[in-house]
Amino acid sequence: MIEAVYDNIKKAIFAGNIPEIPTLVRQALSDKASPEDILNKGLIAGMAVVGEKFKANEIYVPEVLISAKAMHAGLDVLKPFLEKAGVASKGNIVIGTVKGDLHDIGKNLVSMMFKGAGFSVTDLGIDVPPEKFIDEAVRSKAQVMAMSSLLTTSMPSMKATMDLLKKRGLVGKIKTIIGGAPVTQKYADEIQADGYADNASSAVDKAKELLGL
Ligand code: B1M
């Protein structure tokens, strides 16, 4: 029964049916589905199909953009459930999508999960240059700087940010976590980021681990 609702969410994401998504997500919530299952089995599963069809040139950027809007409409409904925040802040995190990259769905999810785990989060948005990452991390007294990249062409901006962090003598003082579809642990090792996470929940685990929480 609930599987059918997940399937409808998946199809509505692929079809870019923006008005239907909030209704379906609310329906799943009232059917007692967990926010995590709605996210993973519905919304993210739908975006995965979009990614496959996009890669195979069966759909193009305008369709992907509409699906992304549908995804955001679903995340808006889930947000308060994913962010059921802890009382005292566990620490400050700055997060953003690196320079040259406009993808923000995964980054927004990671941001929501951090908030849900009780961190104070400064979200710098997309296309964030190295200077801005570091200036904001210093200004907000962040313990963790979290960078997202979805493009192989924007990954070098992670390295540029790490290089600037080193130049400013902040390595070790501000912990760094990187992630995003093309990013790997190997790449994190190469650029000497403190941590890598392959999904939003493991980003939270990694932040806690790095801060000894
Ligand atoms: Co783009 N795009 N896109 N796109 N797009 C990809 C990434 C691509 C893989 C599609 C493909 O070819 N199969 C491909 C990249 C190839 C590569 O470099 N490896 C690609 C391309 C090529 C492009 C353009 C260049 C296309 C063009 O213009 N010709 C262009 C680039 C624009 C730019 O950024 N400068 C482009 C544009 C777009 C849209 C604007 C249309 C749209 C983005 C809308 C938006 O974000 N607001 C879009 C989308 C939606 C996608 C796909 C289809 C879906 C991405 C997504 O949101 N996934 C994507 C294909 C795919 O990934 N399957 C694709 C759902 C999201 C929940 O997952 O973001 O992976 P994800 O986040 C995950 C994990 O990666 C991880 O946790 C999240 C969930 O648990 N994670 C982290 C993410 N950040 C993390 C940070 C962490 C830890 C974990 O720590 C800090």
Side-chain angles (χ1 to χ4, degrees), residues 94-99 122 124-125 127-140 142 145-148 157-158 161 164-165 168 174:
V94 288
I95 186 167
T97 302
V98 296
K99 189 169 167 51
T122 306
L124 304 176
D127 198 18
V128 182
E131 299 74 15
K132 185 167 177 185
F133 261 116
I134 293 166
D135 290 349
E136 285 298 320
V138 171
R139 191 195 57 75
S140 65
M145 196 168 77
M147 293 182 268
S148 176
S157 185
M158 290 179 155
T161 310
L164 189 60
L165 196 73
R168 296 209 184 158
I174 300 172

Side-chain angles (χ1 to χ4, degrees), residues 161-173:
T161 310
M162 287 303 303
D163 289 347
L164 189 60
L165 196 73
K166 277 174 215 153
K167 206 170 153 193
R168 296 209 184 158
L170 294 168
V171 168
K173 293 181 182 144

Side-chain angles (χ1 to χ4, degrees), residues 44 47-48 50-52 54-55 61 64-65 68 71-72 95 100-107 109-110 114 146-153 177-182 197-201 203:
I44 291 185
M47 281 311 285
V50 173
E52 283 157 25
F54 184 44
K55 197 173 179 181
V61 171
V64 179
L65 215 40
M71 177 88 182
H72 278 126
I95 186 167
D101 201 322
L102 309 177
H103 295 85
D104 67 355
I105 297 173
K107 181 268 298 168
L109 264 173
V110 177
F114 278 144
M147 293 182 268
S148 176
S149 158
L150 264 285
L151 298 171
T152 44
T153 50
I177 302 180
I178 63 170
D198 71 349
N199 63 53
S201 314

